[in-house]
Amino acid sequence: MAEDRDPVAAWQAVLRAQNRALRAIEQDLQDRKLIPLSWYDVLLELNAAPDRQLRMQDLAARVVLSRTRVSRLVSELERAGYLERVPDPDDGRATLARITPEGRAARRAAAPVYLAGIEQHFSRHLTAAQQDAIAKGLQRVVDAHEVDPRR
């Protein structure tokens, strides 16, 4: 007998799990009066980038936000002193976002809460095999869209 499979069950589970875990981690950061999760995400990507800077379009692709939303976040982070905008030396029309020492300090302060939140609100609910299967399965989706990012 063929097994009945809901074709959107995995998709719904990903969306719901992401939403609930992110909201819980956001609350953990807020409770400890640390930077918002969206700021942490931007600072994390900048900190990991070569020379700790990225073009705005590359930053938007890495943090999975619209260019408009990234631009607003960058403005907020710039006002807070956590990053600066600098001209791209390779393209005079482009701007780079660069993390500042204050931004690195804010990211470092939030990192333990962020990492503990991943464990508490996500990882502990899954076996190592389930985590591995999720990582490998979702990476296939990511890889499929790396070929043509317009998809």
Side-chain angles (χ1 to χ4, degrees):
M1 177 185 335
E3 189 177 317
D4 288 336
R5 186 175 73 79
D6 182 345
V8 296
W11 174 250
Q12 289 175 325
V14 166
L15 295 177
R16 288 182 183 137
Q18 177 188 24
N19 178 270
R20 289 184 176 115
L22 289 176
R23 286 187 359 209
I25 294 169
E26 179 73 49
Q27 188 64 53
D28 292 346
L29 290 166
Q30 184 178 337
D31 290 347
R32 287 163 185 84
K33 299 183 181 4
L34 295 165
I35 58 174
L37 185 56
S38 58
W39 287 24
Y40 183 86
D41 192 21
V42 169
L43 295 175
L44 182 67
E45 291 299 336
L46 290 175
N47 195 63
D51 299 322
R52 294 191 172 97
Q53 62 188 16
L54 288 169
R55 292 178 68 172
M56 295 293 283
Q57 66 198 41
D58 296 330
L59 181 59
R62 290 184 187 206
V63 297
V64 196
L65 295 171
S66 70
R67 279 183 74 155
T68 303
R69 179 67 182 132
V70 167
S71 183
R72 276 185 286 218
L73 273 176
V74 166
S75 293
E76 292 171 15
L77 286 159
E78 188 175 34
R79 280 192 298 277
Y82 293 156
L83 65 74
E84 59 187 355
R85 294 180 206 231
V86 295
D88 183 343
D90 299 328
D91 181 352
R93 300 165 297 166
T95 302
L96 299 170
R98 179 188 302 151
I99 192 169
T100 63
E102 294 81 8
R104 292 179 68 209
R107 188 206 57 81
R108 272 194 310 274
V113 175
Y114 175 74
L115 295 171
I118 292 170
E119 175 59 32
Q120 178 182 359
H121 303 297
F122 181 77
S123 299
R124 76 181 180 108
H125 302 288
L126 302 165
T127 66
Q130 289 169 327
Q131 290 177 42
D132 188 51
I134 290 168
K136 286 179 180 174
L138 293 179
Q139 188 60 50
R140 291 184 62 182
V141 175
V142 171
D143 293 345
H145 292 279
E146 288 295 322
V147 176
D148 184 359
R150 294 168 294 183
R151 282 185 172 184

